[in-house]
Amino acid sequence: MFMREIELKGHIIDSFILAKVFDRTLELGGDYKVLEFDIGKKKIDTSYAKLLISGDTQQHLDQILEELQNVGANIPEIENANLKPALKDSVLPDGFYSTTNHPTHVKVNDEWIEVANPKMDAVIVVYPEEKRAETKVIRKVKKGDFVLIGHNGIRVMPPEKSREAGQLFEFMNSEVSSEKPKEAIIKRIAKEMHEIREEYKKTGTGGIAIVGGPAIIHTGGGPALAKMVELGYIQAILAGNALATHDIESALYGTSLGVNIKTAKPVTGGHKHHIYAINAINDAGNIKNAVESGVLKEGIMYQCIKNNIPYVLAGSIRDDGPIPDVITDSMVAQDKMRTTVMDKKMVIMLSTLLHSVATGNLMPSYIKTVCVDIQPSTVTKLMDRGTSQAIGVVTDVGVFLVLLLKELERLELQE
């Protein structure tokens, strides 16, 4: 057997780090022995554990250790990181380390360096002379870049559960259930949003991003979201052609996919309204021109233009049109989405599985994430694909937004 000691420090019990280490070791065919275990006695106290991890071969042990590092294990007396240059653009050296979305440090020349812009499924490129490291997606790796190899010289720090009773992320505990008390959840989300907005007003940093799908409009939640933009609660919107198109359709014709939003009844000829909406924006040149010329007078996109809120509309193969503002090059859209979301304090994902998973893949785990969808599977898939920090609210998105706005307006009155 090949063996190596590891250490776990922090709130390793209620953040499930210890359980994950046990489970992953056994799942990978390894074994463990607890050498030391010191449990914090008070809520603010941290815990400590030292484990002996064993594998059948050195390669098997290395595979286990790399997985355990990704959930927060540290290796005592850790060696410097192994680096190899890329021999071609977009081609990685064998044995490259694939990143998590957690804050990460690498040890280079006996000095720990924080890795900039953490995201999952990327690699770590190190610039030793500059004492700098960053994540890069494979398509952006250039010949000669020093890429981190293996698991030596890495520290990964997963986010820990909130220690403050009554806080949103402590309350939710990252569980997905349709039976949670919606009113209590919405109050906590509103309180968190209010605090983030007040901080943004003072510092101009942080803020909240919305990742939205067309169901926001279909379910009648568009006016509520537009009002949140107007009130300064939203600092960015990430979506596709559909959200913008149906938002504009609802503003011009009062329908969404040809259904009257107020009466929920189909309108004769309404199936053409979203094409009419696209045509109106094409004629204006873009959304901004449509607002400035008076063609578009309300809605989410209208409020974004009026309040100078950036939006990224990423195209897809399913799009009608699309409207001129849609970015049809998926790699360009991906880069812009990541740049837009990286500095946010919170991301709220509203009824859009594909955009939610895509955004989750682009951002670090320390950004507070809320996923709202009528389908529990959407929230579960988001977490299964690596966005473990997300909390799930299983409910109708239209009702959610109306109640959330009501709670935010109540907080406004208390100021």
Side-chain angles (χ1 to χ4, degrees):
M1 297 291 288
F2 292 78
M3 295 174 284
R4 187 76 181 265
E5 290 183 2
I6 66 168
E7 293 180 334
L8 306 173
K9 299 177 182 179
H11 300 293
I12 61 176
I13 299 174
D14 52 3
S15 292
F16 307 111
I17 294 174
L18 182 62
K20 289 176 183 177
V21 167
F22 289 161
D23 290 344
R24 292 301 292 149
T25 301
L26 297 178
E27 287 171 3
L28 294 169
D31 201 0
Y32 62 84
K33 181 179 180 180
V34 179
L35 303 178
E36 295 181 35
F37 194 13
D38 182 18
I39 303 176
K41 296 179 174 58
K42 298 179 181 179
K43 189 170 185 177
I44 60 172
D45 293 342
T46 58
S47 300
Y48 172 83
K50 180 185 287 186
L51 281 66
L52 184 65
I53 305 298
S54 57
D56 296 331
T57 64
Q58 186 61 52
Q59 183 180 12
H60 182 215
L61 177 61
D62 289 344
Q63 291 173 343
I64 297 172
L65 292 174
E66 185 169 336
E67 287 291 323
L68 299 187
Q69 283 179 310
N70 289 344
V71 297
N74 290 323
I75 301 176
E77 300 177 1
I78 200 163
E79 302 168 11
N80 282 308
N82 295 324
L83 306 175
K84 284 187 180 179
L87 299 180
K88 298 179 181 178
D89 290 355
S90 303
V91 178
L92 305 173
D94 291 341
F96 64 87
Y97 173 78
S98 182
T99 59
T100 70
N101 58 351
H102 304 314
T104 303
H105 290 73
V106 295
K107 191 176 184 181
V108 180
N109 297 327
D110 296 323
E111 184 176 349
W112 287 102
I113 302 172
E114 183 175 4
V115 179
N117 303 323
K119 74 175 294 293
M120 66 180 76
D121 301 328
V123 297
I124 296 175
V125 173
V126 179
Y127 306 90
E129 293 182 359
E130 301 175 31
K131 297 183 180 180
R132 182 169 65 88
E134 65 176 339
T135 61
K136 275 191 177 183
V137 294
I138 185 171
R139 62 187 167 86
K140 293 201 170 185
V141 172
K142 300 299 182 183
K143 179 181 177 180
D145 280 349
F146 286 103
V147 178
L148 190 145
I149 305 299
H151 67 272
N152 286 332
I154 302 172
R155 280 183 181 167
V156 179
M157 292 164 284
E160 295 182 333
K161 176 182 171 184
S162 173
R163 307 298 296 168
E164 299 180 33
Q167 292 297 309
L168 170 63
F169 286 77
E170 183 272 339
F171 174 76
M172 291 294 294
N173 199 25
S174 296
E175 296 172 0
V176 181
S177 173
S178 59
E179 298 180 353
K180 287 182 176 291
K182 303 298 186 297
E183 186 175 353
I185 294 169
I186 289 170
K187 284 184 177 180
R188 284 168 169 80
I189 293 173
K191 182 175 180 292
E192 193 93 23
M193 291 177 67
H194 189 75
E195 291 173 355
I196 292 173
R197 189 198 63 169
E198 294 307 295
E199 181 183 354
Y200 182 82
K201 286 165 65 175
K202 293 177 182 177
T203 66
T205 59
I208 299 168
I210 293 291
V211 182
I216 293 171
I217 312 302
H218 304 334
T219 57
L225 182 55
K227 188 64 176 179
M228 291 180 208
V229 176
E230 183 182 3
L231 293 174
Y233 284 100
I234 311 302
Q235 281 67 52
I237 289 183
L238 310 182
N241 180 65
L243 173 65
T245 295
H246 293 298
D247 171 61
I248 294 166
E249 176 196 348
S250 68
L252 297 181
Y253 305 104
T255 62
S256 182
L257 276 179
V259 176
N260 187 295
I261 293 176
K262 293 182 178 179
T263 65
K265 293 181 179 180
V267 175
T268 302
H271 65 284
K272 297 181 286 187
H273 284 179
H274 72 288
I275 301 298
Y276 291 165
I278 293 170
N279 190 57
I281 302 303
N282 285 346
D283 185 44
N286 55 36
I287 297 174
K288 183 177 182 181
N289 289 348
V291 171
E292 292 178 347
S293 65
V295 172
L296 186 60
K297 300 178 180 179
E298 62 181 352
I300 298 168
M301 305 313 298
Y302 170 85
Q303 291 296 343
C304 285
I305 297 299
K306 282 295 185 181
N307 294 279
N308 198 31
I309 301 302
Y311 54 85
V312 182
L313 304 179
S316 78
I317 198 69
R318 307 180 306 279
D319 289 345
D320 291 323
I323 59 177
D325 301 66
V326 171
I327 303 171
T328 55
D329 186 323
S330 60
M331 294 298 97
V332 173
Q334 185 186 90
D335 289 343
K336 193 165 184 181
M337 287 171 65
R338 188 183 185 200
T339 300
T340 301
V341 79
M342 276 298 295
D343 64 340
K344 300 298 179 285
K345 286 291 185 70
M346 177 184 279
V347 172
I348 304 177
M349 301 172 172
L350 302 170
S351 291
T352 171
L353 172 60
L354 296 180
H355 270 83
S356 296
V357 172
T359 306
N361 288 347
L362 298 173
M363 67 187 196
S365 62
Y366 51 75
I367 297 178
K368 296 176 179 179
T369 308
V370 179
C371 182
V372 182
D373 203 286
I374 197 68
Q375 296 289 344
S377 60
T378 296
V379 189
T380 303
K381 287 177 182 178
L382 177 67
M383 295 179 183
D384 288 346
R385 282 159 176 77
T387 311
S388 57
Q389 79 273 17
I391 61 173
V393 183
V394 181
T395 188
D396 177 273
V397 70
V399 173
F400 171 84
L401 286 169
V402 169
L403 294 177
L404 179 60
L405 174 62
K406 182 179 179 181
E407 185 60 26
L408 289 171
E409 289 178 329
R410 188 186 68 80
L411 293 172
E412 292 277 316
L413 294 173
Q414 293 180 355
E415 291 184 342

